Amino acid sequence: MSLFLSFAIWCIVTPLATSFSSSLTTSRLVSSLLPTPSPSLSTFSIMFTTSASTFSVMFTTSSSTFTAMFTTSSSTFTVMFTTSSSTFSIMFTTSASTFSVMFTTSSSTFTAMFTTSSSTFTVMFTTSSSTFSVMFTTSSSTFTAMFTTSSSTFTVMFTTSSSTFSIMFTTSASTFSVMFTTSSSTFTVMFTTSSSTFTVMFT
């Protein structure tokens, strides 16, 4: 009886064990042929805090980053977007006041700025071959505008308390300038080349 029972168990268990072993081998083979899952290529996070207030968002991929921030008491606002070839950012800060915008690529930059207490205003645009800038400052007063290329510069200046006015244009071969200054009074016009100079002056 015992011999018969052992034979019966052997007849049942042996095919099952063989089947399990075969299935396990097949499973390992299929797994080895499947691609390995890639690591995560992006990150996304959000933060929200209050009493009173922080808000953040960040999204990152292998080639870009986006950031947003909101903070108060009293106030910061930031947005930034960056790729491998460009950056864009906005900033707003108060108590009392900063405002900035910046856009940058591989070949150009644009900047705007507003600051007060009391007052700066700047705009600048730059490429690989030229620069344009405007500046306004007060308490009390400067105004400058400048345009520059690889071969020339043009400048306008206004300053007071009390008073300068200037215009200058320069190239590789010549310079032209106008100046007006008071308290009390100078007026000058000058034109210069490599071989000559022309001047008008009033004092």
Side-chain angles (χ1 to χ4, degrees):
M1 180 67 179
S2 145
L3 183 61
F4 176 77
L5 184 60
S6 296
F7 177 74
I9 292 171
W10 181 84
C11 287
I12 293 168
V13 169
T14 299
L16 289 175
T18 303
S19 174
F20 176 75
S21 176
S22 174
S23 173
L24 187 60
T25 303
T26 303
S27 175
R28 285 172 178 167
L29 180 62
V30 171
S31 295
S32 70
L33 295 175
L34 290 174
T36 305
S38 312
S40 175
L41 297 178
S42 64
T43 302
F44 177 72
S45 63
I46 296 178
M47 177 185 291
F48 174 78
T49 305
T50 195
S51 185
S53 287
T54 301
F55 171 79
S56 277
V57 175
M58 181 177 282
F59 179 71
T60 304
T61 70
S62 57
S63 61
S64 65
T65 300
F66 174 77
T67 305
M69 179 183 291
F70 168 78
T71 304
T72 196
S73 187
S74 194
S75 288
T76 301
F77 169 79
T78 304
V79 175
M80 182 178 285
F81 179 70
T82 304
T83 70
S84 56
S85 60
S86 65
T87 300
F88 173 75
S89 67
I90 296 176
M91 178 183 291
F92 169 79
T93 304
T94 195
S95 185
S97 287
T98 301
F99 170 79
S100 279
V101 175
M102 181 178 283
F103 179 70
T104 304
T105 70
S106 57
S107 60
S108 64
T109 300
F110 174 78
T111 305
M113 180 183 289
F114 168 78
T115 304
T116 196
S117 187
S118 248
S119 288
T120 300
F121 170 79
T122 303
V123 175
M124 182 178 285
F125 179 69
T126 304
T127 69
S128 56
S129 60
S130 64
T131 300
F132 172 75
S133 65
V134 176
M135 178 182 290
F136 171 80
T137 304
T138 196
S139 189
S140 280
S141 289
T142 301
F143 167 81
T144 304
M146 182 179 286
F147 179 70
T148 304
T149 70
S150 56
S151 60
S152 64
T153 301
F154 175 75
T155 305
V156 176
M157 180 181 290
F158 168 79
T159 304
T160 196
S161 188
S162 251
S163 289
T164 300
F165 171 80
S166 236
I167 295 177
M168 182 178 286
F169 179 69
T170 304
T171 70
S172 56
S174 64
T175 300
F176 172 77
S177 64
V178 175
M179 179 181 287
F180 170 80
T181 304
T182 196
S183 188
S184 256
S185 289
T186 301
F187 170 80
T188 305
V189 175
M190 182 179 287
F191 178 71
T192 305
T193 70
S194 57
S195 60
S196 64
T197 299
F198 172 79
T199 304
V200 175
M201 182 177 288
F202 168 79
T203 303

